[in-house]
Amino acid sequence: MLEYQKTIAARLAVQGIDAGASYGAQAIDKAATLLLLVGRAGPSGTRLSDLVEQCSLPKPTVRRMLLALLRAGLLDQDSDTRRYYLGPEIHVLGTLASARFGIHSIALRSLVRLSQQTGDTAFLSVPRDVHSICVHREEGPYPIRVHALHAGDRHPLGVGAGGLALLAALPDEDVEEVLAANADILADKYPPFSPSALRGLVQDTRTRGYALNPGMLLPDSWAIGVSIHRSDGRPVGALSIAATESRLYPERQLEIASLLKKEASWIETRLNETDPGEKPARVRRNRP
Amino acid sequence: MLEYQKTIAARLAVQGIDAGASYGAQAIDKAATLLLLVGRAGPSGTRLSDLVEQCSLPKPTVRRMLLALLRAGLLDQDSDTRRYYLGPEIHVLGTLASARFGIHSIALRSLVRLSQQTGDTAFLSVPRDVHSICVHREEGPYPIRVHALHAGDRHPLGVGAGGLALLAALPDEDVEEVLAANADILADKYPPFSPSALRGLVQDTRTRGYALNPGMLLPDSWAIGVSIHRSDGRPVGALSIAATESRLYPERQLEIASLLKKEASWIETRLNETDPGEKPARVRRNRP
DNA sequence: GAATCAGGTCCATATGGCGGACCCTATGTT
DNA sequence: AACATAGGGTCCGCCATATGGACCTGATTC
């Protein structure tokens, strides 16, 4: 493995993206990394030099990749500002993919209701590998807003109320796997979240019935989260509500937790009825 | 350009996908093509051999690409059936991209209302290059259903009620460009849609105020469509309703057209209020 | 007007992708 | 049981293709 490739892996690992081991078609690994980085940059886009810095690849290489991604419609470039954005083709593909991972379109209504009822900001997070990704933020009417989490942000599972709800919903063996996989990142970038601390948080979450983040990432940025399960029990997402400490005193926590649970089960029923498990019949069993 | 690459372009052109000219990072062109093909295959997935056939690349190459895409989470493979599907990462990225191309999540409610009110099936199509793509189909309660159009299908602009509504919403010069770009495909795969016929359909659509497809693709598969515009006038999508001829007699056409127009303008107001034109300030003007 | 910064491009080099040939398993067929 | 077919997946030597240091250009700053 070349030196710069180590650096990619290292940098991305720190940022919560794991480029993974690559054997063959390495261009695609780089392209995927760039897509993630552009996606994380959000609606204001990124600049070439930012991307070069973030993925530690030489500029011409990044530029070539970007050109190819533009050509494919997977990215967009503003011709004035020269900034790069996610492209129309990604949107189309994502829409088609939602037939399989259709939590989002269903959960949207829940988020709107939650943010209206509570006044605070509601989030939908989904698990991806050993991370949780915030895929939607719905602002509530209350004027003091917590902006610690943005759509596109990735954190190790267990960090933040949504991610903690997801982690606590996994069986213990999976929890340990996740903690092991994230050990380096946690130690490096999330000092309050040592493996033992996370085990404690998971226990608390399970007994309490909802996940609580008492400002562990950003002081006075509190949040409550609950997980959403597929019919086979696997967690496929988490709803959470963020507010300042003064708005999350114990009694209100309970109110909000019950609202969250109501919406979670609402989503679960919708998910199961639109998920007919439409699999082709043929079965094989000859894996190496 | 090598022989097999010509073949890719040729095959995909026939199917309405244009691989485009490729200079540098050609792996990404192939990867993007595969993503499109898997996306078009829909929720039942595709097999390796289908993909090999559709993109006319040698099997090991396709497989290497697929492995890389699986590694990146852009695709999924069912370990039993060995079929390939769009992956979770595509879904996440698509969700993030919808911040920029957010028609879908807004339009969903319109589609539900339309299919409930009319009983028939409602579609959302978006323009992409010189094609229209059906990104959502919402079934209505009426038992006789027209299944000529599926989510993921691409047709040249002007073919089908949604695509015709989109084409007719473009200025004449753009219409001519689109017709020229699609000339080969139209002649080859859509015999009823000669350029002159399409020009006539566009005129009819503009004077009538809505697009009508009187079973031109599939006998007795009729449809009505209207376009959705951004604040600057560009069409960004189309709503359509499909039914059999007997359910689309002239008076009902008018009723449905007015329902479609009502929903289209509902979407337009939502689009404009959630599209704050959030662009970075810096401006440059030095294009080669 | 010199210095800095950002976007973008060039081209000799060698690395990593290419694809014909091959293997394995499952499912007919005689 | 032996044979045939079809689909999924892998190997490895050759050479086409991506690589990246160096360079160009236009803005912005001092």
Side-chain angles (χ1 to χ4, degrees), chain A residues 90-99, chain B residues 86 90-91 94-95 104 135-136:
Chain A
I90 281 281
H91 183 235
V92 170
L93 287 170
T95 304
L96 296 176
S98 66
Chain B
L86 290 178
I90 281 281
H91 183 234
T95 304
H104 183 68
V135 290
H136 193 88

Side-chain angles (χ1 to χ4, degrees), chain B residues 81 85 87 89 107-108 131 154 178 180 204-205 217 219 225 246 267 272:
Chain B
T81 64
Y85 305 86
E89 204 68 59
L108 194 61
H131 313 289
R154 291 173 192 238
V178 169
D204 294 350
T205 301
L217 277 166
S246 63
I267 293 172
N272 294 338

Side-chain angles (χ1 to χ4, degrees), chain B residues 146 214 219-222 243-250 253:
Chain B
V146 170
D220 206 28
S221 164
W222 286 41
T244 53
E245 174 172 8
S246 63
R247 283 175 68 79
L248 285 184
Y249 47 89
Q253 282 185 25

Side-chain angles (χ1 to χ4, degrees), chain A residues 4-151:
Chain A
Y4 73 82
Q5 289 177 325
K6 276 192 213 148
T7 325
I8 298 179
R11 274 216 71 114
L12 292 185
V14 167
Q15 297 171 14
I17 296 179
D18 187 350
S22 40
Y23 293 105
Q26 307 183 4
I28 294 175
D29 299 77
K30 289 168 197 152
T33 305
L34 287 174
L35 285 178
L36 295 192
L37 290 172
V38 174
R40 141 188 312 195
S44 53
T46 348
R47 300 179 309 165
L48 174 60
S49 50
D50 295 339
L51 292 172
V52 168
E53 189 191 0
Q54 287 170 342
C55 69
S56 306
L57 284 165
K59 191 165 52 166
T61 301
V62 172
R63 171 73 176 150
R64 264 198 311 276
M65 293 292 166
L66 292 175
L67 281 176
L69 292 168
L70 291 171
R71 206 188 304 147
L74 297 172
L75 291 183
D76 244 5
Q77 183 175 27
D78 185 300
S79 53
D80 285 339
T81 64
R82 321 254 77 206
R83 277 169 169 268
Y84 298 88
Y85 304 85
L86 290 178
E89 203 68 58
I90 281 281
H91 183 235
V92 170
L93 287 170
T95 304
L96 296 176
S98 66
R100 250 169 89 74
F101 307 92
I103 321 150
H104 183 68
S105 56
I106 297 172
L108 193 62
R109 305 185 203 181
S110 286
L111 289 179
V112 172
R113 279 195 295 266
L114 284 169
S115 60
Q116 289 301 322
Q117 288 169 2
T118 64
D120 297 306
T121 304
F123 302 87
L124 172 66
S125 305
V126 297
R128 166 81 190 114
D129 220 66
V130 294
H131 313 291
S132 67
I133 306 174
C134 169
V135 290
H136 193 87
R137 179 174 81 193
E138 185 72 26
E139 306 266 352
Y142 192 74
I144 296 177
R145 292 175 186 178
V146 170
H147 271 205
L149 190 63
H150 298 255

Side-chain angles (χ1 to χ4, degrees), chain B residues 101-172:
Chain B
F101 307 93
I103 322 150
H104 183 68
S105 56
I106 299 172
L108 194 61
R109 305 184 205 182
S110 286
L111 290 180
V112 172
R113 279 196 294 266
L114 284 169
S115 59
Q116 289 300 322
Q117 288 169 4
T118 63
D120 297 306
T121 305
F123 302 87
L124 172 66
S125 305
V126 297
R128 165 80 190 117
D129 219 65
V130 293
H131 313 289
S132 67
I133 306 173
C134 170
V135 290
H136 193 88
R137 179 175 80 193
E138 185 71 27
E139 306 267 351
Y142 192 75
I144 295 176
R145 293 175 185 178
V146 170
H147 271 206
L149 189 63
H150 298 256
D153 285 353
R154 291 173 192 238
H155 291 293
L157 276 176
V159 171
L164 181 55
L166 289 170
L167 184 63
L170 294 174
D172 277 330

Side-chain angles (χ1 to χ4, degrees), chain B residues 58 73 110 234 239:
Chain B
S110 286
R234 274 195 60 78
L239 297 173

